[in-house]
Amino acid sequence: MSDTYNNPDEPAHPDDAPSGPERLPLDAWHRQRGARMVPFAGYEMPVQYVVEGGGIIAEHLWTRSHAGLFDVSHMGQLEVSGEGAAAALEAALPIDLATLKPGGVRYSLLLDEHGGILDDLMVTNAVHHFYLVVNGATKWDDIAHLREHLPDAVTLSHLADDALLALQGPEAATALARLGLAPMNDGWPTAQTITFMQAAPFRWGEVPLRISRSGYTGEDGYEISVPGEHAAALADALCAQPEVKPIGLGARDSLRLEAGLPLYGHDITAETDPVEAGLTFAINKRRRSEGGFLGANPILAALAAGPARKRVGLALEGRMAARESDAVLRAGSATGRVTSGGFAPSLGRPIAMAYVEAADAAPGTSLEIEVRGKRIAATVVPLPFIPHRYFR
């Protein structure tokens, strides 16, 4: 069952948004397994598991070497359908849907008229509709924004009762194979043969699943949309596999930081544009020449002129980790601010992402970060910090 926002007279925001923290379909499941729950994006979310073998560093390293199961049900799952849906989405997003084949998944951006990033999202061509996954903290604003810019003939549905699980790590495919998933139709690919940024519908017994080979850890893996009433059974089945453990938000953040992936609300916001964020790959070639999407004029101008600042990776000396908003200095003068920072368990050292002046963004540039009153030496390094291991 889904909530559908196709009535222009029905307010999508803020009246539809819950007034307090919500509970995930797997809330009790997490608590039974020793999860420490914290408020995040309007939900009570598991940050780590306080059990033997748990903790952020152990969960991080387990995912890098085996497979971690993440509950990302706080994210918004939307369907866009109806006559003219593709054209309407192209007017709202800098995407070329003509090049997105059935089953294809693409990273895209929701922009304002100034070129600022309102959200980043994944778009899937699900043949009869488009399936969007947006960030949990912004989903109600996203729904209102899309409803405002989509014509009445286009239906926007919020799959509010569906859960979303992410199975990530080099052994994810092995573990998933044991569940005996069946493609929804004969001749369709198996879960093991779909490649990075491809998706297909499957059945687990009688339970329908949407599965994409994607995620936000830099590892091979899957995102699995499942009806909420079946989420606990599916999570149990996955965690019964020897390769799989439940993993919390803390490790998810350190994994995505090592992968050099921006976090909305931190590394990208309405105050940043795709050019300085290093996300111009999300603006398809045809859209760069034709424009015609929200924020096109300022973004195409920024592409032509080059950004004044750039998002970069920083490797820090010592063991002290930088945090968001710490100042970045070049020869004693401010050149930027940290947007994400922390200890990288896979590298055994602190790392950070920051925006710095374009002249200071070349790899190898020596900078300093002011961390709690101390200046820490840092070097600009290419992103990602560790190579992606997607199944292509």
Side-chain angles (χ1 to χ4, degrees):
M1 184 177 176
S2 63
D3 298 330
T4 300
Y5 298 104
N6 60 345
N7 183 345
D9 296 324
E10 180 183 9
H13 175 82
D15 295 346
D16 299 311
S19 58
E22 290 192 281
R23 293 205 164 185
L24 302 167
L26 288 178
D27 184 273
W29 190 93
H30 294 305
R31 294 176 193 273
Q32 289 167 1
R33 282 155 183 79
R36 184 163 72 86
M37 307 296 281
V38 299
F40 180 79
Y43 289 84
E44 292 283 328
M45 300 281 292
V47 66
Q48 62 176 303
Y49 292 84
V50 189
V51 296
E52 184 178 355
I56 292 175
I57 291 178
E59 292 170 19
H60 178 116
L61 296 175
W62 180 271
T63 304
R64 286 276 183 246
S65 59
H66 302 289
L69 184 67
F70 302 80
D71 184 359
V72 289
S73 301
H74 64 300
M75 302 184 79
Q77 299 183 65
L78 312 176
E79 283 186 359
V80 179
S81 60
E83 185 176 354
L89 271 182
E90 285 203 349
L93 307 174
I95 195 169
D96 183 356
L97 290 173
T99 63
L100 186 61
K101 298 178 180 178
V105 184
R106 191 163 292 164
Y107 177 86
S108 191
L109 300 165
L110 200 62
L111 303 165
D112 64 20
E113 64 272 24
H114 307 296
I117 302 172
L118 298 177
D119 199 6
D120 60 344
L121 65 155
M122 305 293 277
V123 182
T124 299
N125 180 348
V127 183
H128 299 300
H129 61 268
F130 294 97
Y131 169 67
L132 278 56
V133 178
V134 304
N135 279 296
T138 56
K139 64 183 175 185
W140 294 105
D141 288 336
D142 293 352
I143 289 170
H145 180 87
L146 287 167
R147 185 64 276 165
E148 179 184 352
H149 289 91
L150 295 177
D152 294 346
V154 172
T155 299
L156 174 64
S157 302
H158 179 203
L159 309 179
D161 295 332
D162 288 355
L164 188 63
L165 305 179
L167 183 66
Q168 300 282 290
E171 296 177 348
T174 299
L176 190 64
R178 294 201 198 95
L179 267 59
L181 305 182
M184 196 69 80
N185 292 303
D186 292 340
W188 286 20
T190 66
Q192 287 66 51
T193 57
I194 59 174
T195 58
F196 180 60
M197 301 299 269
Q198 287 188 328
F202 294 88
R203 285 195 181 279
W204 176 53
E206 296 301 316
V207 179
L209 306 176
R210 298 173 188 259
I211 297 182
S212 63
R213 202 144 191 174
S214 61
Y216 222 59
T217 62
E219 294 291 335
D220 180 27
Y222 303 88
E223 289 193 343
I224 306 168
S225 176
V226 54
E229 65 268 30
H230 299 291
L234 180 60
D236 279 342
L238 288 167
C239 286
Q241 308 308 315
E243 299 88 356
V244 181
K245 287 185 177 180
I247 307 295
L249 278 179
R252 185 168 186 261
D253 190 54
S254 56
L255 288 158
R256 72 92 198 162
L257 177 59
E258 287 185 344
L261 301 172
L263 179 64
Y264 192 80
H266 301 265
D267 308 296
I268 50 177
T269 70
E271 306 303 317
T272 58
D273 69 53
V275 183
E276 60 193 7
L279 301 176
T280 52
F281 69 89
I283 305 172
N284 294 95
K285 183 178 179 181
R286 177 174 66 80
R287 308 308 303 278
R288 293 188 203 179
S289 60
E290 296 180 3
F293 54 89
L294 275 175
N297 290 339
I299 288 174
L300 297 182
L303 274 169
R309 59 175 188 164
K310 292 183 177 180
R311 181 170 63 94
V312 299
L314 296 170
L316 281 67
E317 299 294 329
R319 305 286 290 180
M320 186 178 290
R323 300 300 183 193
E324 184 175 358
S325 299
D326 285 346
V328 183
L329 311 172
R330 172 74 186 273
S333 298
T335 185
R337 291 277 175 185
V338 169
T339 51
S340 286
F343 186 78
S346 304
L347 301 173
R349 65 183 304 171
I351 57 175
M353 288 196 287
Y355 282 89
V356 300
E357 294 177 8
D360 299 329
T365 301
S366 296
L367 302 173
E368 290 181 311
I369 304 177
E370 197 161 274
V371 183
R372 296 187 286 282
K374 294 184 178 180
R375 291 191 178 181
I376 308 297
T379 303
V380 178
V381 297
L383 294 173
F385 294 98
I386 65 169
H388 295 162
R389 298 196 292 183
Y390 302 135
F391 181 76
R392 299 183 186 275

